[in-house]
Amino acid sequence: MAVTRTLHAVPAVALALLLVVAGCAGPVPSPETSTTPTGQPTSTAPTTLPAGEGTVVTVVDVADGDTVDIRYRNGTRDTVRLLGVDTPEVWTKNDPTEFRGVPDTEAGRQCLREWGRAASDYTKSRLAGEQVRIVVGGDVRGSYGRLLAHVYVNGTNHNLRLVEQGYARVYRSEFALLDRFLAAQERARNATRGLWQCATPVPDEAGLVVETVHADAAGSESENLNDEYVVFRNAGNETLELGGWTVADAAGHRYRFPAGTTLAPDARLTLHTGSGTNTETDVYWGAGDPVWNNAGDTVTVYNASGTSVLHYEYD
């Protein structure tokens, strides 16, 4: 398994060098995180940005709802991937399982594509040709080399606005304002706003959440499979009947909860990768090899009818 990546705040000098190497020698965006005396990152990005904070850039093109091209004041250009959000795809195939409750059908995919176009139009209407301020995330660059940033237009966080209006889901990773983004997503979903019109109502199952993913087992992972686990919690008010529900990772490995498995309100259930005797608080996958990737994976839960009710991503 790959080694888990630890996020650290990026010193200003290192960030400047990184942007120069990446071909972005313009003004360096202010980091979203700073460090405490102990060296631990602490989030500081606000939902509204006071004048003078962040870096002023011009949006020269909008690729889709969550990706824009920018120009710095010195003329250099860069591509920004909006931090913490994911709008439905316009140019490639959508995966409905990434959007909780959206059926994995052609109708579900088509519905998401329509809202992907709507998200793109919305971002264009607010950002295209505008001067905005950007505040970069702790990781600075994503896997495709794009700058990860919050974008503020007229002092308002556009990333958060996308979630509030139902144009995007929250892309789970370590970033400032995650809790506020998740709360906004739940409000939009409960109001069937935007893309959540594509979802099948699952009121009795919406309480299931992933509380912990412990992907990096101590010692040799292949010999300590039960130290690789996922902790689920029932955040709802009704007991969940989990019998027949399945859990899957990004590679398609699946585990089915045994018949009779229940989870009371505010109770926790730990799914261990290895083998053991199932109890009310612990169940065992029975896998012969590690399942959860240390460097990042997805936890998707389907109810007994095959509808996705939970999609959790970690980095």
Side-chain angles (χ1 to χ4, degrees):
M1 304 293 287
V3 178
T4 303
R5 180 178 62 192
T6 303
L7 302 181
H8 297 284
V10 180
V13 173
L15 177 58
L17 289 174
L18 176 60
L19 292 177
V20 170
V21 171
C24 176
V28 178
S30 303
E32 176 185 297
T33 57
S34 59
T35 55
T36 64
T38 60
Q40 297 300 312
T42 175
S43 299
T44 59
T47 54
T48 57
L49 195 65
E53 294 190 17
T55 299
V56 175
V57 299
T58 300
V59 177
V60 295
D61 188 40
V62 174
D64 55 29
D66 55 32
T67 307
V68 300
D69 292 331
I70 61 170
R71 182 178 63 242
Y72 292 94
R73 284 176 169 172
N74 67 357
T76 58
R77 298 196 178 198
D78 205 348
T79 297
V80 171
R81 175 65 166 78
L82 272 59
L83 181 64
V85 299
D86 180 32
T87 60
E89 300 293 342
V90 175
W91 312 110
T92 60
K93 185 177 179 180
N94 282 291
D95 181 0
T97 64
E98 296 179 345
F99 298 84
R100 192 177 74 189
V102 176
D104 191 5
T105 62
E106 184 57 36
R109 286 185 284 273
Q110 181 58 34
C111 184
L112 287 173
R113 184 171 299 281
E114 291 174 1
W115 280 104
R117 296 190 184 103
S120 181
D121 290 342
Y122 182 71
T123 294
K124 287 178 181 177
S125 70
R126 287 175 52 82
L127 302 186
E130 298 292 329
Q131 281 198 340
V132 300
R133 291 182 182 270
I134 59 173
V135 177
V136 303
D139 266 357
V140 184
R141 297 274 172 184
S143 56
Y144 294 100
R146 298 174 298 188
L147 191 66
L148 303 177
H150 290 285
V151 176
Y152 292 84
V153 55
N154 298 322
T156 300
N157 188 316
H158 180 69
N159 307 37
L160 180 58
R161 182 65 64 86
L162 284 169
V163 177
E164 291 173 335
Q165 298 300 316
Y167 289 113
R169 71 180 178 98
V170 177
Y171 187 91
R172 284 179 179 266
S173 60
E174 296 296 328
F175 71 96
L177 306 176
L178 174 59
D179 289 344
R180 190 167 300 186
F181 275 50
L182 290 173
Q185 176 177 265
E186 287 308 299
R187 289 193 298 271
R189 190 174 186 278
N190 291 338
T192 321
R193 188 178 302 129
L195 69 86
W196 301 114
Q197 295 177 31
C198 305
T200 302
V202 284
D204 294 332
E205 302 156 356
L208 187 68
V209 298
V210 171
E211 188 166 89
T212 303
V213 176
H214 192 255
D216 190 10
S220 172
E221 293 186 325
S222 60
E223 298 178 2
N224 194 17
L225 293 175
N226 283 338
D227 194 42
E228 180 184 271
Y229 55 83
V230 178
V231 180
F232 295 98
R233 180 171 67 88
N234 182 359
N237 298 319
E238 302 291 335
T239 296
L240 296 177
E241 303 288 341
L242 300 180
W245 290 26
T246 57
V247 180
D249 68 348
H253 302 107
R254 287 180 177 258
Y255 165 83
R256 183 182 296 274
F257 287 106
T261 304
T262 62
L263 190 60
D266 203 38
R268 291 163 178 79
L269 182 64
T270 301
L271 171 59
H272 301 271
T273 297
S275 300
T277 302
N278 293 336
T279 67
E280 290 186 356
T281 58
D282 297 83
V283 292
Y284 297 84
W285 191 305
D289 296 296
V291 172
W292 307 109
N293 292 322
N294 295 354
D297 211 331
T298 61
V299 183
T300 305
V301 179
Y302 302 88
N303 64 15
S305 64
T307 299
S308 171
V309 296
L310 171 63
H311 187 83
Y312 179 86
E313 300 176 3
Y314 67 90
D315 247 337

